[in-house]
Amino acid sequence: MKVFKYFGLVAVLALAAGQASGADTAAQPEKVFRYAFRVAETGFDPAKVSDLYSRTVTENIFEALYTFDYLARPVKVVPLIADGMPVVTDDFKTYTIKLKHGIYFADDPAFCDSDGKNCKKREVTAQDFVYSLKRHYDPKTISPVASDFEELKLLGMNELRARAEKSGKPFDYDSEVEGMRALDRYTIQFKLAETRPRFLYNLADSSIVGVVAREVIEKYADKTMEHPVGTGPFMLARWTRSSTMTFVKNPNFRESYYDAEPAIDDAQAQAIYKQMKGKRIPMVDTVEVSIIEEEQPRWLAFLGNGHDFYERMAPTYAYQAIPNNKLAPNLAKRGIVMARTVSPDVTVHYFRMEDPIVGGYTPDKVALRRAIALAFHSEEEIKLPFRNQAMAAQGILQPMTYGYDPKFKTEMSEYSPARAMALLDMYGYVDKDGDGWRDMPDGSPLVIEYGTQPDALSRERTEIWRKSMDAIGIKIVFKVAKWPENLKAARANKLMMWGLAYSASVPDGGDTLGQGYGPAKGEGNLSRFDLPAYNKLYLEQQVLPDGPERLAVMQKATKLLVAYMPIKASSHRIMTDMLQPWFSGYMRHPTSRAFWKYVDIDLTKLPKN
């Protein structure tokens, strides 16, 4: 196994600092935060990563112009590298942003002369942000969010990308574009072709729009996934791919202190704020992340005090660890703390709208999909595979995102085999050949093909599908493949049905509604639903400011998805994290993963060896 080590100049400086203050180090043992990812990382270049785990790392190494207040609920955007909130024109088409002075990248050989001498501290400038964001438009980067940036319609940027694609020549980073300019060393301005009231959300995710230095990208070229150099609180020190990662404090990280605005009625957030307010961040010295794909060893590592934090407890252990959704007495006795919250995600089962059996917009096709949805026992899925670690969904909008209404009720959550059979009978889906299974109205076989995975949880979920369809006389077969293969097939328009989950990356439901937006077919819209009335509503809500008018449009769009049923929304999962008694400050954020700098280790509470 190849081991990547990222020591270089940064680690040498860190080592020297440690030797210079040996007495202090001896007096104050290092605070090490240890936990595990359940899936291996892919790398650490913000413009190239898309998976949750790699983005967790990049969000703690790199910094964007803005971020989200760690404790505020509802979610609130606050400045990070930006010096205050932007100046925005009334039409929400121009955003002008000042940068803080004295923000520096971590030291790296890229900031030294060719002979490795004359190294300089490298300050962040507005031009660095222009370069960093342009990388998402560079065809060579193959940014997984390139289409999201194209949809923003920054003046001139889509044209710049198109020229590079057409000519085959290198992307022109030095071409000044009206839509994204550095007005001076510390001022950046964005101009958009269309109104975008929530454009700021696109500048608040450090995991993908964290600033990079051009010198670093050019020095490491095709190896940028292995050499992250950011301005954030941590930097990569050691890396054994798909096994372990070690991160240490960035010596160049500015003097920063814990601050937040928790809601007055949020007891958990208020308690954390009272404990942490005014502390210098980051509080831990080192973060050690292991990759443990199997749930049992990950759980045992936590129980054995090898890890300080157990993230997203698997439903498998729910009855053992949190019977009746309360912490088990044996864990409570040890001082372990449970952090439980409804996740801003939605589990869905989509129908391929271009499929000759389940697709289409005629009344008979709509009736078939609605009957299948009515017959699927969502509550049994929540009770059995999810061990009650989820709640029923009324639509695709996720909790803790703008547009979600906990009082909103629809047919989406209804379980009624009787109604399902009545619909099927009405539109001619009856057993015509006497084999016990319903047929299509024209007499051809009615067979549903559902994509699934080979893991235990997926097998439990498919068994519920089988029982649900058997109950109404529909034959269902399962196409088993690994998750990445199913995703590839889904994007290629090859799966009749498939189940997956969508997690919110911004605190706004407008993004989620993209699951039904026609032009996004094969990307965010795997069902390939394409209804002009829905597309119009989707575009309308994009340009409206938040308020009653936009909420009404979003609800109309949601109701259209329920009526046509291209997507069966099933549940919103409940996430339970476990904390050791010496681990403090953690509170799951709806969208941000940059929590490392906000947590602490109480050395006095660590178990004695």
Side-chain angles (χ1 to χ4, degrees), residues 105-113 118-120 122 213 215-216 229:
F105 288 101
D107 293 319
D108 188 84
F111 305 132
C112 305
D113 291 343
N118 297 319
C119 303
K120 298 178 180 179
R122 173 67 158 77
E215 305 96 297
V216 172
V229 180

Side-chain angles (χ1 to χ4, degrees), residues 324-554:
N324 299 315
N325 296 326
K326 293 183 179 180
L327 190 66
N330 63 310
L331 300 180
K333 186 176 181 180
R334 292 176 51 176
I336 290 172
V337 176
M338 171 182 71
R340 181 175 165 85
T341 182
V342 176
S343 177
D345 76 357
V346 60
T347 63
V348 303
H349 313 274
Y350 80 82
F351 300 87
R352 183 167 71 94
M353 292 297 289
E354 295 169 6
D355 184 83
I357 294 178
V358 298
Y361 300 84
T362 56
D364 59 316
K365 298 295 187 179
V366 173
L368 175 59
R369 292 192 299 272
R370 291 181 71 162
I372 291 172
L374 283 165
F376 180 66
H377 206 330
S378 294
E379 287 295 339
E380 189 168 318
E381 182 186 46
I382 291 172
K383 182 180 178 181
L384 298 179
F386 290 153
R387 274 73 167 179
N388 293 317
Q389 304 308 300
M391 66 180 194
Q394 305 297 328
I396 65 171
L397 296 183
Q398 303 109 316
M400 292 188 282
T401 64
Y402 187 84
Y404 174 79
D405 181 357
K407 297 179 181 178
F408 183 60
K409 302 295 180 185
T410 71
E411 179 187 293
M412 191 68 80
S413 64
E414 185 178 349
Y415 170 62
S416 178
R419 281 193 63 199
M421 289 190 286
L423 268 174
L424 294 170
D425 291 344
M426 182 184 299
Y427 285 92
Y429 295 96
V430 296
D431 180 8
K432 292 181 170 63
D433 57 12
D435 65 353
W437 297 108
R438 291 179 184 269
D439 297 302
M440 299 288 287
D442 63 3
S444 59
L446 171 56
V447 180
I448 305 299
E449 293 183 351
Y450 188 95
T452 186
Q453 292 75 239
D455 59 276
L457 180 62
S458 294
R459 288 195 296 271
E460 289 186 64
R461 297 177 74 189
T462 55
E463 183 56 30
I464 293 172
W465 268 107
R466 188 188 305 279
K467 288 169 57 180
S468 297
M469 294 302 97
D470 284 353
I472 60 171
I474 289 182
K475 186 175 183 179
I476 185 169
V477 297
F478 301 100
K479 299 181 69 174
V480 182
K482 290 188 176 181
W483 200 92
E485 295 171 8
N486 277 332
L487 178 61
K488 183 177 180 180
R491 286 177 171 166
N493 198 21
K494 293 181 179 179
L495 292 181
M496 182 188 293
M497 289 186 68
W498 186 35
L500 66 162
Y502 286 87
S503 295
S505 58
V506 297
D508 185 79
D511 269 21
T512 308
L513 291 175
Q515 290 181 45
Y517 181 52
K521 292 178 184 178
E523 295 180 358
N525 178 3
L526 294 179
S527 73
R528 296 178 176 262
F529 182 63
D530 194 355
L531 186 72
Y534 182 89
N535 295 340
K536 182 181 178 181
L537 291 171
Y538 174 77
L539 294 174
E540 188 178 344
Q541 63 84 28
Q542 271 196 326
V543 301
L544 287 171
D546 289 346
E549 185 180 0
R550 182 172 184 240
L551 288 173
V553 172
M554 295 174 78

Side-chain angles (χ1 to χ4, degrees), residues 45-50 55 132-154 157-162 165 171 173 180 196 199 202 208-209 491 519-520 523-524:
D45 183 339
K48 295 182 178 181
V49 298
S50 60
R55 287 178 64 176
S132 300
L133 294 173
K134 279 184 175 180
R135 293 187 68 221
H136 291 281
Y137 291 87
D138 185 348
K140 185 180 177 181
T141 304
I142 315 179
S143 169
V145 295
S147 61
D148 295 336
F149 277 90
E150 288 179 0
E151 193 175 317
L152 293 175
K153 297 186 179 179
L154 287 160
M157 284 307 305
N158 291 350
E159 292 77 8
L160 193 63
R161 176 183 173 88
E165 290 176 326
F171 186 83
Y173 282 96
M180 191 160 56
R196 288 289 184 270
F199 174 66
N202 299 98
I208 56 173
V209 295
R491 286 177 171 166
E523 295 180 358

Side-chain angles (χ1 to χ4, degrees), residues 33-37 56 60 287-291 306-311 593 595-596:
F33 167 41
R34 308 154 301 164
Y35 78 119
F37 288 171
T56 297
N60 285 283
V287 179
E288 293 180 353
V289 180
S290 304
I291 309 301
H307 289 163
D308 310 300
F309 175 57
Y310 178 57
E311 187 179 27
R593 297 155 293 276
F595 70 92
W596 296 357

